Amino acid sequence: MKLISWNVNGLRACIKKGFLDFCREADGDVLCLQETKLQEGQVDLAGELPGYRTYWNYADKKGYSGTAVFSKTEPLAVTYGFGEDIHRREGRVITAEYPDFYLVCCYTPNAQRGLTRIDYRMVWEDDFRAYLCELDRTKPVVLCGDLNVAHEEIDLKNPGPNRGNAGFSDQEREKMTALLGSGFVDTFRLLHPEETGAYSWWSYQFHARENNAGWRIDYFIVSQRLAERVKRAEILAQVMGSDHCPVLLEIED
């Protein structure tokens, strides 16, 4: 089974930059999107991507956040958001249940410049980890998306100057460590433990992508008991259309 996750940073803009061509060529069984920046009815892809069932979670705020899941196989069930109402306003989570796992598409809140949203981010992290662990007690979990954290120094080009900044604060990194310590595995590091220069997001400033001065903040994370089924975990850095690139996971059926 081939799964793809991509923060498209505005789906309407990404469509103009080759999104549909990528989808057709990649031919994933499931495609998960973050930061769609849509409201209901603004995009109709039924005729463009035949064979996929589409599921959307929209933010209350127009042009902000949002997630989507496109699946060739109809899930057993689909739920939108999780937990308390405070976590349900920004369209950040879709959970699709398949026969032998839950797929969770997530766009984690950014802590913001100066860590102005770090307090909420910490609440989100604890509540979301509890949600994933609850799912995991029923069946294994595949979590994907823009998790807005570079976990280790190997996961960004310039760790020193960015220490303490949003996405590389000690608090956010510790929460990722806590998640992985709760029975989950970072699939890219499982297969590529020492690979450097592997990034999924680049600033639009300072020719960052041209110079590969990036961050790895887009993940596929799986329950420990799914790790042996992971065949491939890749970062598709050659794919343009957003300031993020897609990431890919293949697992044995």
Side-chain angles (χ1 to χ4, degrees):
M1 189 174 194
K2 182 193 294 185
L3 304 101
I4 297 168
S5 176
W6 193 4
N7 179 323
V8 293
N9 192 11
L11 182 56
R12 285 171 294 179
C14 196
I15 286 172
K16 297 176 182 177
K17 300 175 184 177
F19 170 81
L20 295 171
D21 290 337
F22 166 75
C23 291
R24 295 176 186 123
E25 182 177 348
D27 195 29
D29 296 295
V30 184
L31 179 63
C32 296
L33 307 181
Q34 303 87 44
E35 209 170 356
T36 53
K37 297 183 177 180
L38 292 173
Q39 300 302 122
E40 187 172 4
Q42 288 186 304
V43 165
D44 181 5
L45 298 179
E48 301 289 350
L49 294 174
Y52 286 97
R53 299 172 183 269
T54 59
Y55 307 90
W56 306 85
N57 195 4
Y58 305 105
D60 291 356
K61 180 181 177 181
K62 293 183 178 180
Y64 180 73
S65 188
T67 48
V69 171
F70 302 167
S71 180
K72 288 185 176 180
T73 301
E74 183 177 6
L76 301 176
V78 177
T79 59
Y80 302 92
F82 78 99
E84 301 297 325
D85 185 67
I86 190 175
H87 301 315
R88 295 179 175 271
R89 296 293 183 179
E90 298 179 352
R92 292 185 178 274
V93 173
I94 300 175
T95 302
E97 181 182 358
Y98 292 91
D100 58 348
F101 65 89
Y102 289 104
L103 173 66
V104 182
C105 172
C106 176
Y107 177 39
T108 298
N110 192 302
Q112 301 297 333
R113 185 182 299 274
L115 302 183
T116 57
R117 212 183 186 197
I118 192 68
D119 291 344
Y120 174 63
R121 172 67 178 266
M122 295 297 98
V123 172
W124 167 282
E125 290 285 354
D126 290 341
D127 291 351
F128 189 58
R129 185 174 67 254
Y131 172 67
L132 296 175
C133 289
E134 180 183 359
L135 292 176
D136 187 55
R137 284 192 284 270
T138 300
K139 62 177 69 172
V141 173
V142 177
L143 165 66
C144 69
D146 175 1
L147 303 187
N148 260 317
V149 61
H151 185 215
E152 302 289 359
E153 291 192 354
I154 194 175
D155 295 316
L156 71 168
K157 177 72 171 183
N158 297 304
N162 282 295
R163 177 77 179 271
N165 289 342
F168 199 59
S169 68
D170 291 348
Q171 302 98 305
E172 292 163 298
R173 295 171 67 196
E174 287 167 2
K175 293 301 185 184
M176 175 60 83
T177 298
L179 174 61
L180 298 178
S182 299
F184 297 93
V185 177
D186 176 351
T187 61
F188 184 79
R189 285 294 169 220
L190 175 70
L191 298 188
H192 310 274
E194 306 296 332
E195 184 171 337
T196 61
Y199 309 128
S200 64
W201 173 79
W202 303 261
S203 169
Y204 281 131
Q205 298 178 309
F206 312 119
H207 303 284
R209 191 155 189 174
E210 179 182 337
N211 297 321
N212 198 29
W215 300 48
R216 188 175 74 93
I217 61 176
D218 299 87
Y219 295 82
F220 271 101
I221 289 174
V222 302
S223 297
Q224 178 71 54
R225 60 194 185 279
L226 281 182
E228 63 184 14
R229 292 172 54 185
V230 173
K231 297 169 57 179
R232 182 182 172 205
E234 301 291 343
I235 299 173
L236 307 181
Q238 77 281 5
V239 178
M240 309 300 285
S242 168
D243 52 348
H244 295 250
C245 72
V247 294
L248 178 148
L249 175 70
E250 287 190 16
I251 56 176
E252 294 179 353
D253 294 329

